[in-house]
Amino acid sequence: AAHGLTAASEQMLSHTVPTVAPPAGLDEVSIRKAVELNARAAKLIGHLDAGSWNLAGGAMSIVNAALTFEAGEADNVSKFTGTGGGTGTPVAAMPNFPPVPSIPDVPIPDVPAPSGVADAEYYSTLVNSGAGEEPHESAARFWTNTGQSLSQVADVVSTARDALSNGWQSTEAEPAVRALSQFHGWVTDVSRSASDLGNDWSNHVADFRRVKNNIPSPDEAGQTKSNLVQAMDDNMRDGGLSTPRVVQFTGEYNQQNATTE
């Protein structure tokens, strides 16, 4: 049981890796979502670090209990055989875990102010000026894999609890078995939280990609504005002969704005 818990503790600790993803775009939604997801990731990393220490401590308690029993048994045998007292009770040491990693800040560039009207060109520029999808896809994979790994840790804890319950029959064992049952529930909850975070990051990437693919690019929106201005200028010069072009590009401009909004 102790060896299994130690391995589970190390596996849990291996996931305390900062996963800071800069905003996919510089629009308000991308920035707000990046802040939210990164905050949840930082909180989970802290939980995993604390949980791995607790699990390692439980493993050491079990080892020390076993060592105490073995030392007591050796002492009894030595007294019975007249070969002298025991050699004392060895004590298992806690592993030297590294400190919890610090979460780096997410640098958010200054959001440019619209040069004139906040229209499709401006918002499309914001959407297309961030870090893009890749950092968020990477974070989604990390937390999805972490959720699966923690589910395996929960299975190990459950197996260790059952082994302890079957192999250590004493009043001292009962608190340990209860603690492992509680820890099993905790790991299961954290596993679900990690999987949910990975899923939410994937959904954010899908939403961002959908928006980016369905709105005009900054160049396309800028070209429409340029065409509209040129058509209006020509219309003033040619006495209204360019009115159809004005109507056409006005429609395109309004449609791009509505789609982007």
Side-chain angles (χ1 to χ4, degrees):
H3 286 312
L5 295 181
T6 299
S9 172
E10 293 173 351
Q11 183 174 351
M12 186 182 300
L13 187 68
S14 69
H15 298 298
T16 58
V17 179
T19 56
V20 175
L26 295 186
D27 56 285
E28 180 184 353
V29 175
S30 294
I31 293 175
R32 189 170 63 243
K33 200 65 179 179
V35 170
E36 174 204 330
L37 295 173
N38 284 319
R40 288 169 58 189
K43 185 178 295 185
L44 271 175
I45 287 173
H47 284 326
L48 292 177
D49 183 77
S52 62
W53 273 97
N54 288 338
L55 197 55
M60 292 304 98
S61 296
I62 295 170
V63 169
N64 286 330
L67 292 175
T68 299
F69 290 145
E70 290 179 354
E73 185 69 7
D75 188 57
N76 289 335
V77 170
S78 64
K79 290 178 180 177
F80 182 77
T81 58
T83 57
T87 59
T89 305
V91 178
M94 278 283 287
N96 185 22
F97 282 176
V100 58
S102 59
I103 309 297
D105 293 331
V106 185
I108 299 177
D110 292 333
V111 177
S115 56
V117 179
D119 56 9
E121 182 182 17
Y122 172 65
Y123 287 116
S124 180
T125 299
L126 295 184
V127 169
N128 286 275
S129 295
E133 304 161 21
E134 196 283 327
H136 294 265
E137 291 175 336
S138 178
R141 288 191 298 270
F142 175 86
W143 285 108
T144 298
N145 293 336
T146 297
Q148 296 171 350
S149 176
L150 292 176
S151 179
Q152 298 171 355
V153 169
D155 291 340
V156 172
V157 172
S158 177
T159 300
R161 176 198 59 197
D162 294 342
L164 201 64
S165 177
N166 294 329
W168 185 8
Q169 303 293 326
S170 74
T171 55
E172 290 84 359
E174 294 173 2
V177 173
R178 284 198 303 269
L180 284 177
S181 294
Q182 293 175 346
F183 199 91
H184 174 264
W186 179 85
V187 175
T188 301
D189 289 342
V190 175
S191 169
R192 192 176 299 115
S193 295
S195 297
D196 288 345
L197 180 56
N199 185 61
D200 288 348
W201 233 311
S202 294
N203 288 338
H204 174 52
V205 170
D207 290 342
F208 177 79
R209 184 182 294 116
R210 176 177 57 83
V211 169
K212 186 176 179 180
N213 290 342
N214 281 278
I215 65 175
S217 70
D219 289 342
E220 291 170 340
Q223 185 62 54
T224 296
K225 286 173 61 177
S226 177
N227 291 340
L228 176 57
V229 171
Q230 184 63 53
M232 295 173 66
D233 185 61
D234 292 343
N235 202 40
M236 293 180 62
R237 295 174 182 276
D238 60 22
L241 295 178
S242 297
T243 298
R245 289 173 53 225
V246 173
V247 173
Q248 173 192 347
F249 292 126
T250 298
E252 288 184 13
Y253 178 75
N254 291 336
Q255 182 59 53
Q256 287 180 342
N257 289 345
T259 300
T260 303
E261 183 180 354

